[in-house]
Amino acid sequence: MTSAQVDTEKTPEEGYERGLGSRQVQMIAIGGAIGVGLFLKAGANITKAGPSLILMYALAGAVVFFIMRALGELLLYRPVSGSFAEYSREFLGPFFGYFTGWTYWLMWVVTGMAELTAAAIYVHYWFPHIPQWVTALVFLVILFGVNLISVKLFGELEFWFSMVKVTALIGMIVIGLGVLTFGFSSAGDTAAVSNLWAFDGFFPKGVGSSLMTLQGVMFAYLAVELVGVTAGESEDPEKTLPKAINTLPWRIALFYVGALTVILCVVKWTEFTPEASPFVLAFAKIGIPAGAGIVNFVVLTAALSSCNSGMYSTGRMLRTLADSGEAPKRFSRLSSTKTPAFGITVSVLFMGIGVVLNYLVPEKAFGYVTSVATAAGIWTWLMILISHVLYRRAVVAGRLPASAFPAPGGAVCSWIAIVFLLFVTGLIAYDADSRVCLYVMAGWAAALGVGWAVLKARNPQVTERREPVLEKVG
């Protein structure tokens, strides 16, 4: 059998319920582009880059679109749950599939650790008498239950989480435009488009300082690739996935570039602080009643959404690894509700450890956790891009069928994105605070290397390259 043939043998995603409709996949894609990285981290980045942060988000957003179009072409060639690991395994070899699967699992586990504790802190804003660990535990149990019941319930919860975030951002943009146009509210006298360059120019701290914010900006875009993990459970992947990916440019333009442009016009960039959310500060400046509480609720939603997505994706990735013999076989079993319950349970236990750790260690631990997540995310994106380049070569050579959703520019845009991600990795290595994540990743790589050696000794056939099993789409 050639790799271009369609096989009816058991595929890794067989047994999943294709319960995610177009409405839910669209909102999961939108929600993946709006997270705590925008609502909270943007404040620190504004103080470093000023208005030029808008350009950094636009630049990074263009690269993220290249990544997603590369992923889209691969998904329509072979839509499988846990796609990143599968494509790495097919095009780069079994070790890269193993490494990518476990690294993506790590990314979501450490992200879940941070998001759970962050959610508890946001609730503490309203109920300071409730211990943070109690709130974190309650959220952990609720989201765990949702992910065990069914993929439809996960999709529905994620739909409404995303709806809250989208509505809040659109509301912020509309109100900000109203302030700029009609001059109402206490911010009306100073709100002006000229705020983008009136205070030491568009690059007030210099181009170098602006570029250093790219590592934080890339963290804000983490999880946008989550739509790829939904491939095995989408009702109609041939229609829903391209639509979700093609809407990414306007989502980035509106929710990131648009929202930041508006708030930096309404409020001078010099008034923002690293500790506060720029959206909370902007609402306070405009004078909206209970504005801080509203934004706090939205940020809480963003944290719970991220943790919910983490539980979903970690269970699927562990099942993909188990199906390939790279994780214990028990992870491949599905529950009666067609969810990888055991994989989700183990992942949740690790996230629970994070609740304890983040409660005990200083607040700086959040920065370390997010930097580790960024490094793991960059690895995942690089594997998508390299797999895409190799897939395009195979198509040109006639070894594989062409995808129904080809990326514009072929492999050229993927090469541009690869160079950009390597540049961002260099920035992380240059920055003393974020450099620690590279040490963590080096230790993680060493541990996975040992695991691979043990796996190879016990079960050599698992580590051999195999022909992919293709699923008919449409």
Side-chain angles (χ1 to χ4, degrees), residues 368-389:
Y368 293 146
V369 167
T370 55
S371 66
V372 170
T374 303
I378 287 175
W379 172 270
T380 300
W381 288 340
L382 281 171
M383 290 301 99
I384 292 170
L385 293 165
I386 295 171
S387 296
H388 178 249
V389 169

Side-chain angles (χ1 to χ4, degrees), residues 259-302:
L260 282 173
T261 300
V262 168
I263 67 170
L264 286 170
C265 288
V266 172
V267 182
K268 303 169 190 174
W269 76 269
T270 53
E271 296 185 28
F272 292 100
T273 61
E275 299 80 20
S277 165
F279 293 89
V280 172
L281 201 152
F283 267 72
K285 183 73 175 177
I286 293 171
I288 295 176
I294 293 171
V295 176
N296 194 67
F297 172 73
V298 173
V299 177
L300 169 64
T301 302

Side-chain angles (χ1 to χ4, degrees), residues 295-367:
V295 176
N296 194 67
F297 172 73
V298 173
V299 177
L300 169 64
T301 302
L304 294 178
S305 172
S306 181
C307 189
N308 189 42
S309 298
M311 290 184 189
Y312 171 86
S313 57
T314 50
R316 272 71 184 171
M317 194 57 70
L318 285 177
R319 187 178 186 227
T320 298
L321 288 163
D323 278 321
S324 301
E326 296 161 356
K329 208 65 184 174
R330 189 172 179 185
F331 286 120
S332 65
R333 297 176 189 168
L334 292 179
S335 67
S336 58
T337 56
K338 298 183 179 179
T339 61
F342 185 70
I344 294 172
T345 303
V346 171
S347 301
V348 166
L349 288 175
F350 277 95
M351 290 181 189
I353 294 171
V355 173
V356 178
L357 290 175
N358 279 296
Y359 178 75
L360 296 175
V361 298
E363 201 171 300
K364 199 169 183 180
F366 280 102

